[in-house]
Amino acid sequence: MQKGNIGVTTENIFPIIKKFLYSDHEIFLRELVSNAVDATQKLKTLSSMGDFKGELGDLTVKVSVDKDTLTISDRGIGLTAEEIDKYINQIAFSGANDFLEKYKNDANAIIGHFGLGFYSAFMVAKRVDIITKSYKEDAQAVKWTCDGSPEYEIENIEKADRGTDIILHMDDDSKEFLEPSRISELLKKYCRFLPVPVAFGKKKEWKDGKQVDTDEDNIINETNPLWTRKPNELKDENYLKFYHDLYPMADDPLFWIHLNVDYPFHLTGILYFPKIKANIDLQKNKIQLYCNQVYVTDSVEGIVPDFLTLLHGVIDSPDIPLNVSRSYLQSDSNVKKISTYISKKVSDRLQAIFKNDRKEFEGKWDDVKIFINYGMLTEEDFYEKASKFALLKDTDAHYYTYDEYRTLVKENQTDKDGNVVYLYANQTDAQYSYIEAAKNKGYNVLLMDGQLDVAMISMLEQKLEKTRFTRVDSDTISRLIVKEENKGANLEAGKQDILASLFRSQLPSVDKVEFNVAAQALGEAENPILITQSEYMRRMKEMANIQAGMNFYGEMPDMFNVVVNTDHKLVKNILDDESKECNESLSPIEAEIASLDKQHDELHEQQKGKKEDEIPAEEKEKLDNVEKKLSELKGRKEAILTEYAAKNKIIRQLIDLALLQNGMLKGEALTKFVRRSIELI
Ligand code: ADP
């Protein structure tokens, strides 16, 4: 027997392994099983090159547990005593402390950096034995033992078969790794697609009312996973099956993309566009990252473009430096190339589906839209490509590319300033009457009800030349798209004011809502009252909801315009009736107001251009008096109109109907409305 010290410059590698690598203890299993798989594949390679002439036989890697130990056995190349000394005893180890300090929470980084795969066994074991016999002719089998101190023992032993057994004598606080269910779970997580069969126990069957082992190995992995196979050999059902194996609870995916590149880096994989159920949050971390079929992580941020982290599937690349920290990953040029490549592949594939089968693409658009829009919003390059196949959907469920849509609306929806106005709705039910009005005018109305559409609208306004988006309910139909200055004959100003006063006085107070009432000629066919909300204010509030630092807008009340249509018969009736009822009392007041207005203007004229101290006190006082008198008279006029309006049930009824149409009539006001409606009938 020989004794020696493991050659590390720091005496204390084992405490370091144990202490610092506390987070990811379970990966020891991945490391040891991959070593066994590597040793097996090396033997296969030697055999295929004629350097190994013996029988390969059954190459299954076997994992087993008993009371105190976990064993990983392979029939690979094995190790000679010299090789153990070279590969196991001598650990290249410089600048260790600095590195460990930096990456103490990242076991992957440490293990990879030092080639410590094997030593990760000491995260969970108090003693590790290597029992091994090289494939080389007449090799002497050896047993290496180490109890977690830098001392090891190595001795010659008898071993019938070629290959290696790694035996872990588990630490007391790592007994969980002796539970078959825990080991099954870990094998499924890390070893599911390893290229050499891995067995854990035997297949079970029911016999005499209980489960018993059969003779057959329980193979836990699929050695030729779908992504390693040639796309032209695969059918849709293969892709669908693989998807459901990976995500048993998911609906069928929308599309998939088989990635396969050899140069300038190696990468294979399959990405799926999942079908997102409405209102369920998008989930990141559904893509699994493999390195030569060994599972590494499901956190692919930094490796694939952000918007693609919403996809599902697998990526396998030996060229992604997995053993480094995340921040390093992002600056790695290989990783950047990979990210760019994946993004380009995705846009190419989408473009191809769009071109070859537009019907299918349109059919799935509502579901893929969120991924594509996210990409367009976050990646300039992706926007450039996607703007050729991204679609806009109108309220009649017709789909258009950006170019097609512009051609469609350009002629009829260009305003007097040369802006093409894209009308849109985000709720077809609530905005039904506005949509109808727009359609009647020959306009097209888009449906922009997606989660990202607020942001898309802002972006498209910047990207598309001379383009403005306006929601259908943001103004009266005649002013949604202003094609020429309004020259139409309107009601005289005095009458407009009276109408506004009448309706203003009867508006209910709604919490956090402000109304601005105006009278306008909208045409006889239009509703008597229309409630609109300015595009600008509404958008500011919408942005405030998704963006920090815009609270100012979020706090503001909702501002609505109440437009009274002076062309409508009912409104005309109200005005006529008001004249009859109120003229007598209003005429003298109005006459007085008119004369005071005149005085007011004259006084103003006199004082214009003069400095404050050049105006005689007497004149100032006169103006003050006129203003006081005016405001008192206007108050009286308002009171008369309010009194009249309160008696006129039609005014209140019209207001309530308009509120109802906008979903703003609630509670007591709604009950009153119903009661009044019955009375009116
Ligand atoms: P790495 O695998 O990154 O080289 P490890 O510490 O895991 O680092 O292993 C060190 C070396 O020990 C391997 O390169 C390999 O030569 C040898 N080795 C480990 N496990 C086995 C095994 N099961 N069979 C044969 N050789 C092995």
Side-chain angles (χ1 to χ4, degrees), residues 45-84:
T45 309
L46 290 172
S47 170
S48 69
M49 296 191 318
D51 291 337
F52 172 67
K53 304 215 163 46
E55 280 287 316
L56 284 177
D58 178 9
L59 291 175
T60 305
V61 169
K62 296 191 176 168
V63 179
S64 61
V65 284
D66 65 21
K67 209 166 116 317
D68 299 307
T69 59
L70 179 139
T71 304
I72 295 128
S73 309
D74 66 66
R75 295 187 67 251
I77 50 171
L79 290 157
T80 61
E82 295 76 52
E83 284 165 344
I84 289 194

Coordinates of all heavy atoms in Angstrom, one line a residue, residues 45-84:
T45 N -14.8 5.2 -28.7 CA -14.0 5.8 -29.7 C -12.7 5.0 -30.0 O -12.4 4.7 -31.2 CB -13.5 7.2 -29.2 OG1 -14.7 7.9 -28.8 CG2 -12.8 8.0 -30.3
L46 N -12.1 4.5 -28.9 CA -10.9 3.7 -29.1 C -11.2 2.4 -29.9 O -10.5 2.0 -30.8 CB -10.3 3.3 -27.7 CG -9.6 4.4 -26.9 CD1 -9.3 4.0 -25.5 CD2 -8.4 4.9 -27.7
S47 N -12.4 1.9 -29.5 CA -12.8 0.7 -30.2 C -13.0 0.9 -31.7 O -12.6 0.1 -32.6 CB -14.0 0.1 -29.5 OG -14.6 -0.9 -30.3
S48 N -13.7 2.0 -32.0 CA -14.0 2.3 -33.4 C -12.7 2.6 -34.2 O -12.7 2.4 -35.4 CB -15.0 3.4 -33.5 OG -14.4 4.6 -33.1
M49 N -11.7 3.1 -33.5 CA -10.4 3.3 -34.2 C -9.5 2.1 -34.2 O -8.4 2.2 -34.7 CB -9.7 4.5 -33.6 CG -10.5 5.8 -33.7 SD -9.6 7.3 -33.2 CE -8.7 6.8 -31.8
G50 N -10.0 1.1 -33.6 CA -9.2 -0.2 -33.6 C -8.1 -0.2 -32.5 O -7.3 -1.1 -32.5
D51 N -8.1 0.8 -31.6 CA -7.1 0.8 -30.6 C -7.5 0.0 -29.4 O -6.8 -0.3 -28.5 CB -6.8 2.2 -30.1 CG -6.1 3.0 -31.2 OD1 -5.5 2.4 -32.0 OD2 -6.2 4.3 -31.2
F52 N -8.8 -0.4 -29.4 CA -9.3 -1.4 -28.3 C -9.9 -2.5 -29.1 O -10.8 -2.3 -29.8 CB -10.3 -0.7 -27.4 CG -10.9 -1.6 -26.5 CD1 -10.2 -2.3 -25.5 CD2 -12.3 -1.9 -26.6 CE1 -10.8 -3.1 -24.6 CE2 -12.9 -2.8 -25.7 CZ -12.2 -3.4 -24.7
K53 N -9.3 -3.7 -28.8 CA -9.8 -4.9 -29.6 C -10.7 -5.8 -28.9 O -11.3 -6.7 -29.5 CB -8.6 -5.6 -30.1 CG -7.6 -4.8 -30.9 CD -7.0 -5.5 -32.1 CE -6.3 -4.5 -33.1 NZ -5.5 -3.4 -32.5
G54 N -10.9 -5.6 -27.6 CA -11.8 -6.4 -26.8 C -13.3 -6.2 -27.1 O -13.6 -5.4 -27.9
E55 N -14.1 -7.0 -26.4 CA -15.5 -6.9 -26.5 C -16.0 -5.6 -25.7 O -15.6 -5.4 -24.6 CB -16.2 -8.1 -25.8 CG -16.2 -9.4 -26.7 CD -17.2 -9.2 -27.8 OE1 -18.3 -8.8 -27.6 OE2 -16.9 -9.6 -28.9
L56 N -16.9 -4.8 -26.4 CA -17.4 -3.7 -25.6 C -18.4 -4.2 -24.6 O -18.5 -3.7 -23.5 CB -18.0 -2.7 -26.6 CG -17.1 -1.8 -27.4 CD1 -17.8 -0.9 -28.3 CD2 -16.2 -1.0 -26.4
G57 N -19.3 -5.1 -25.1 CA -20.3 -5.7 -24.2 C -21.3 -4.6 -23.7 O -21.5 -3.6 -24.4
D58 N -22.0 -4.9 -22.7 CA -23.0 -3.9 -22.2 C -22.3 -2.8 -21.5 O -21.6 -2.9 -20.6 CB -23.9 -4.7 -21.1 CG -24.9 -3.7 -20.5 OD1 -25.1 -2.6 -21.0 OD2 -25.6 -4.1 -19.6
L59 N -22.6 -1.6 -22.0 CA -21.9 -0.4 -21.5 C -22.7 0.5 -20.6 O -22.3 1.6 -20.3 CB -21.4 0.5 -22.7 CG -20.3 -0.1 -23.6 CD1 -20.0 0.7 -24.8 CD2 -19.0 -0.4 -22.8
T60 N -23.8 -0.1 -20.2 CA -24.7 0.7 -19.3 C -24.0 1.2 -18.0 O -23.3 0.4 -17.4 CB -25.9 -0.2 -18.9 OG1 -26.5 -0.6 -20.1 CG2 -26.9 0.6 -18.1
V61 N -24.1 2.4 -17.7 CA -23.6 3.0 -16.5 C -24.6 2.7 -15.4 O -25.8 2.9 -15.6 CB -23.4 4.5 -16.6 CG1 -23.1 5.2 -15.2 CG2 -22.3 4.8 -17.6
K62 N -24.2 2.2 -14.2 CA -25.2 1.8 -13.2 C -25.0 2.7 -11.9 O -23.9 2.9 -11.4 CB -25.0 0.3 -12.9 CG -25.3 -0.5 -14.1 CD -25.5 -1.9 -13.9 CE -25.9 -2.6 -15.2 NZ -25.8 -4.0 -15.2
V63 N -26.1 3.1 -11.4 CA -26.1 3.9 -10.2 C -26.9 3.0 -9.2 O -28.0 2.5 -9.5 CB -26.9 5.2 -10.4 CG1 -26.9 6.0 -9.1 CG2 -26.2 6.0 -11.5
S64 N -26.4 2.9 -8.0 CA -27.1 2.2 -7.0 C -26.9 2.7 -5.6 O -25.9 3.4 -5.3 CB -26.7 0.7 -7.0 OG -25.3 0.6 -6.7
V65 N -27.8 2.5 -4.7 CA -27.7 3.0 -3.3 C -27.9 1.8 -2.4 O -28.6 0.9 -2.7 CB -28.7 4.1 -2.9 CG1 -28.3 5.4 -3.6 CG2 -30.1 3.7 -3.3
D66 N -27.2 1.8 -1.3 CA -27.6 1.0 -0.2 C -27.6 1.8 1.1 O -27.6 3.0 1.0 CB -26.7 -0.3 -0.1 CG -25.3 0.0 0.2 OD1 -25.0 1.1 0.8 OD2 -24.4 -0.9 -0.1
K67 N -27.5 1.1 2.3 CA -27.7 1.9 3.5 C -26.8 3.1 3.7 O -27.2 4.2 4.1 CB -27.5 0.9 4.7 CG -28.3 1.3 5.9 CD -28.3 0.1 6.9 CE -27.6 0.4 8.2 NZ -26.4 1.1 8.4
D68 N -25.5 2.9 3.4 CA -24.6 4.0 3.6 C -23.9 4.5 2.4 O -23.2 5.6 2.5 CB -23.5 3.6 4.6 CG -24.1 3.1 5.9 OD1 -24.8 4.0 6.5 OD2 -23.8 2.0 6.4
T69 N -24.0 3.8 1.3 CA -23.2 4.2 0.1 C -24.0 4.4 -1.1 O -25.1 3.8 -1.3 CB -22.1 3.2 -0.2 OG1 -22.7 2.0 -0.5 CG2 -21.1 3.0 1.0
L70 N -23.4 5.3 -2.0 CA -24.0 5.4 -3.3 C -22.8 5.1 -4.3 O -21.7 5.5 -4.1 CB -24.4 6.9 -3.5 CG -25.0 7.2 -4.9 CD1 -26.2 8.1 -4.7 CD2 -24.0 7.9 -5.8
T71 N -23.1 4.2 -5.3 CA -22.1 3.8 -6.2 C -22.5 4.1 -7.6 O -23.6 3.9 -8.1 CB -21.9 2.2 -6.0 OG1 -21.6 2.0 -4.7 CG2 -20.8 1.7 -6.9
I72 N -21.5 4.6 -8.4 CA -21.6 4.8 -9.8 C -20.6 3.9 -10.5 O -19.4 4.0 -10.3 CB -21.4 6.3 -10.1 CG1 -22.5 7.1 -9.5 CG2 -21.4 6.5 -11.6 CD1 -21.9 8.2 -8.7
S73 N -21.1 3.0 -11.3 CA -20.2 2.0 -12.0 C -20.3 2.2 -13.5 O -21.3 2.3 -14.0 CB -20.6 0.6 -11.6 OG -20.8 0.4 -10.3
D74 N -19.1 2.1 -14.1 CA -19.1 2.1 -15.6 C -18.2 1.0 -16.1 O -17.4 0.5 -15.3 CB -18.7 3.5 -16.1 CG -17.2 3.8 -15.8 OD1 -16.3 3.1 -16.3 OD2 -17.0 4.8 -15.0
R75 N -18.3 0.7 -17.4 CA -17.4 -0.2 -18.0 C -16.6 0.5 -19.1 O -16.5 0.0 -20.2 CB -18.2 -1.4 -18.6 CG -18.9 -2.2 -17.4 CD -19.5 -3.5 -17.9 NE -18.5 -4.5 -18.4 CZ -18.4 -4.8 -19.7 NH1 -19.1 -4.2 -20.7 NH2 -17.5 -5.7 -20.1
G76 N -16.2 1.7 -18.7 CA -15.4 2.5 -19.7 C -13.9 2.2 -19.6 O -13.5 1.1 -19.3
I77 N -13.1 3.2 -19.9 CA -11.7 3.0 -20.1 C -10.9 2.6 -18.8 O -9.9 2.1 -18.8 CB -10.9 4.1 -20.7 CG1 -11.2 5.4 -20.1 CG2 -11.2 4.2 -22.2 CD1 -10.4 6.6 -20.5
G78 N -11.5 3.0 -17.6 CA -10.9 2.8 -16.3 C -9.6 3.6 -16.2 O -9.3 4.4 -17.1
L79 N -8.9 3.4 -15.1 CA -7.7 4.2 -14.8 C -6.6 3.3 -14.3 O -6.9 2.3 -13.5 CB -8.0 5.2 -13.7 CG -8.9 6.4 -14.0 CD1 -9.5 6.9 -12.7 CD2 -8.1 7.5 -14.7
T80 N -5.4 3.6 -14.7 CA -4.2 2.9 -14.1 C -3.8 3.7 -12.9 O -4.2 4.8 -12.7 CB -3.1 2.8 -15.1 OG1 -2.7 4.1 -15.4 CG2 -3.4 2.1 -16.4
A81 N -2.9 3.1 -12.1 CA -2.4 3.8 -10.9 C -1.7 5.1 -11.3 O -1.9 6.1 -10.6 CB -1.4 2.9 -10.1
E82 N -1.0 5.1 -12.4 CA -0.3 6.3 -12.9 C -1.3 7.4 -13.3 O -1.2 8.5 -13.0 CB 0.6 6.0 -14.1 CG 1.8 5.1 -13.8 CD 1.3 3.6 -13.7 OE1 0.6 3.2 -14.7 OE2 1.6 3.0 -12.7
E83 N -2.4 6.9 -13.9 CA -3.4 7.9 -14.3 C -4.1 8.5 -13.1 O -4.5 9.7 -13.1 CB -4.4 7.2 -15.3 CG -3.8 7.0 -16.7 CD -4.6 6.0 -17.5 OE1 -5.5 5.2 -17.0 OE2 -4.4 6.0 -18.8
I84 N -4.4 7.7 -12.1 CA -5.0 8.2 -10.9 C -4.1 9.3 -10.3 O -4.5 10.4 -10.0 CB -5.2 7.1 -9.8 CG1 -6.4 6.2 -10.3 CG2 -5.5 7.8 -8.5 CD1 -6.9 5.3 -9.2

